[in-house]
Amino acid sequence: MNVWKYGDDINTDMLFPGKYTYTCSTAEEIKPHLLEDLDPTFSGKVKKGDIIFGGKNFGCGSSREQPVVGLKAVGIQAVVAKSFARIFYRSAINQGLLLIESSDAVESYQSNDEVTLDIEKGIIMINDKTFSFPTLPSEILAIQDAGGLLNYTRNKLKEQ
Amino acid sequence: MEMTFAEKILANYANEKETIPGQIVTVQPAHLLTHDNTAAIIQKVDEELNKYGVYSKNLSIIVLDHVIPAASEKTAINHKKIREFVAKHDIKHFYDVGEGVCHQVVVEKGLALPGKLLLGSDSHTCSYGAVGSFSSGIDRTEAASLMLTGQTWLKVPQSIKVHIKGSLSKGVYAKDVILHIIGDISASGATYCSVEYHGEVEQFSVDDRFTIANMGVEMGAKNSVFFVDDITKQYLKSIGVNESAYSPVIPDLGASYMQTLDYDLNNVVPMVACPHTVDNVKPADQLEDIEIHQCLIGTCTNGRLSDLEIAASILKGKKIHKNVRLLIIPASKQIFQEAMQKGIIQVLVDSGGMVLPPGCGPCLGAHQGVLSPGERCLSTANRNFKGRMGSKDAEIYLASPATVAATALNQTITDPREVIE
Ligand code: SF4
C-alpha cells in the first residue's frame, strides 16, 4: 500500500482537469487523467488500497464528481485531510468513498510511516500512534451501507 | 429560539419549528438546476427514469451553457440526448443553447425567489442568495437521485455574519469587495457555512449582490445571502415577479453566529486574485508589470449589463493594446440584446473586443479562447485554478470588469482608477 501526500487547497481542477468534464464521465475514461496537473505519476502508479493525505480544504472548487468517482475506481481506501470542501465531502458520501477529517493524523504523518485503518473502530494508526475519527450520522451511514446514493435511491424506489 | 437565515429556511423546508447547526434534515428543493452535465446525470439512472419517470416536471431547470454551441461530436451528442430527455419527460424549465449562463438564466427568469431553496449540480448555484434564496451546489449523483425522488438531506450549517459599512470609492466595485473578503478569510475560511451579508448593503444592486453571492463557494461557503429589501423587490418587479409571489426569510435579531466579520468599504481598492488560488489577492496597483495576453469580460460572475457598461465607459473611443485579445461574453441573450440596444456592444467591438455567444465561453477551459502554455489571462470569472482555462502552464488572474478593461488598453495589469476620468 502506498500513501500519497499533498498540501492545502487541493482543488477539483488539480484532481481532474475541467477540460475533460464533458468528454470523460465513466470511471475508465476518468482514471488516466486523475491528478494529471498535480502529480503526473499518480495515475500510473496508484494501487488498490492506497491512502491519500491532504491539508486544509481538500477537494475545493467545482461540483464535478469525476475526482471522487476516479479515486473510488482506482481503489483509494480513504482520503485523510485536515478539512474537506463541502461539495467534495457530499460527493464522497454519494459514491461511498471514505473521507477522514483529522488534522492530527495529517500533521503526524511523515513519508514512509506505516499507516493502517480500522474503519469500524473509527481509528487510523500511524506507526504506533492512534488517531480516532468520528463515525457518520445514521442518515448518512444508511447511504454508505447501501453502497452509495444511487443504490440507496433504487432501494427506496423499489419499496414504494 | 432565534434563528439565522439558514436555520429558518431549512426549518421551513423540513417542516420543523426550528433547526440547529449540525442537524440533518430532509428537504424537497423548489428547483434542481443542471446544465450540459444533464447528459451524464440521466445516463446514471436511465433505467429508473424509464421505469418511474421524473419526480416532477417542474423540479428541473436545465440550461445548456457550458459548451455552446457544441464544440465536438461528443458535446453535440450530449446536447441531443438532453433535448430528447426534455421532450420525453415534458420538462417545463428548459433553456437551449444561446439563452445564457445557467445561473443568470435562473435569476432572470424569476425561478430563484426569496425564501426558496434551490440545489444545483454546479458549484456556483450559491449565486441565488443575491435575491434572498438559499441555494447550494451538489454533485451529479445527487442530482440524479433528486430527479427521481425530489428530495435529499442537508446539514444545517453554522452561519457567518459579514457586516458592511462605508461606501465604495470611484473605480472600486462589488468584485473588489468579494476578492478583498476572500483574500482576508481564505479559500476555506467559510467552509460548510452560510454567509449572511448585513449592514450598508443598500448600495449594492442585484447585479452587485449576484457577483458577491456567486463567489461564496470560493471561500468554501454552502450558501451566501443578501436579504430582501426595496432593491430586491424592484428588481423582481422589473422581471415581472410581484411581491405576492414570494415570502422573504429574514434572520432573527438575536440569532447566533459562529463569527462576525466587519468590512469598511472605504478601505477597499481594486483587487486582483493571482494564480493559482482565489485567495491569493493583491491590490491591482502592485501588479503593474504583469503582462496579459487575453482579457475576458463575462461569465456568471461579471457578464451582466452593468459590467459591460462599465467596460464600455472605459473603452469608449479607444483601442485595446495590439498584443491583447479581448473576449466579451454577455451572461444571457437578454443582456446581449440590451447591450446592443444601448450601443454598448458597438463600443466594445469598436475598441477591438470580440463577442462570444451567451454562455460559459472559455471559463472552464473547454473551448472558445483556451490558453497556451506561458500565456496569462485577466478574467472577470470566479476561479483561477491551475489548468482551468486550458494549459496547466498558463496563468489566470481575476478582477473586476473595470480592471480588465483598463488592462486591455495597456497590456499590463492596470488599476482602473488611472484611466477613469
Ligand atoms: S461561467 Fe464559468 S463559473 Fe459560471 S457556470 Fe459557467 S463555467 Fe461555471
Side-chain angles (χ1 to χ4, degrees), chain B residues 177-222:
Chain B
V177 174
I178 188 64
L179 288 176
H180 179 94
I181 295 174
I182 295 171
D184 184 42
I185 78 166
S186 93
S188 57
T191 299
Y192 304 127
C193 292
S194 167
V195 178
E196 297 182 357
Y197 290 91
H198 292 251
E200 296 170 29
V201 294
E202 64 285 345
Q203 60 190 307
F204 293 132
S205 65
V206 167
D207 284 11
D208 295 334
R209 296 173 188 195
F210 201 136
T211 301
I212 293 172
N214 175 271
M215 292 191 71
V217 67
E218 307 307 333
M219 47 179 158
K222 182 168 201 149

Side-chain angles (χ1 to χ4, degrees), chain B residues 142-160:
Chain B
E142 195 165 346
S145 174
L146 266 159
M147 279 183 183
L148 290 162
T149 66
Q151 66 176 43
T152 192
W153 62 274
L154 288 175
K155 186 155 119 184
V156 180
Q158 302 255 28
S159 298
I160 294 178

Side-chain angles (χ1 to χ4, degrees), chain B residues 252-274:
Chain B
D252 295 322
L253 270 181
S256 69
Y257 294 87
M258 188 180 91
Q259 207 182 353
T260 300
L261 300 163
D262 290 293
Y263 290 99
D264 183 346
L265 300 191
N266 295 308
N267 299 332
V268 179
V269 297
M271 299 299 255
V272 177
C274 300

Side-chain angles (χ1 to χ4, degrees), chain B residues 35 65-66 101-103 122 124 214 299-301 359-360 363-364 381-382 388:
Chain B
H35 43 68
D65 62 348
H66 269 54
V101 181
C102 55
H103 306 304
D122 188 277
H124 295 103
N214 175 271
T299 78
C300 56
T301 319
C360 299
C363 180
L364 73 158
N382 44 35
R388 182 165 170 94

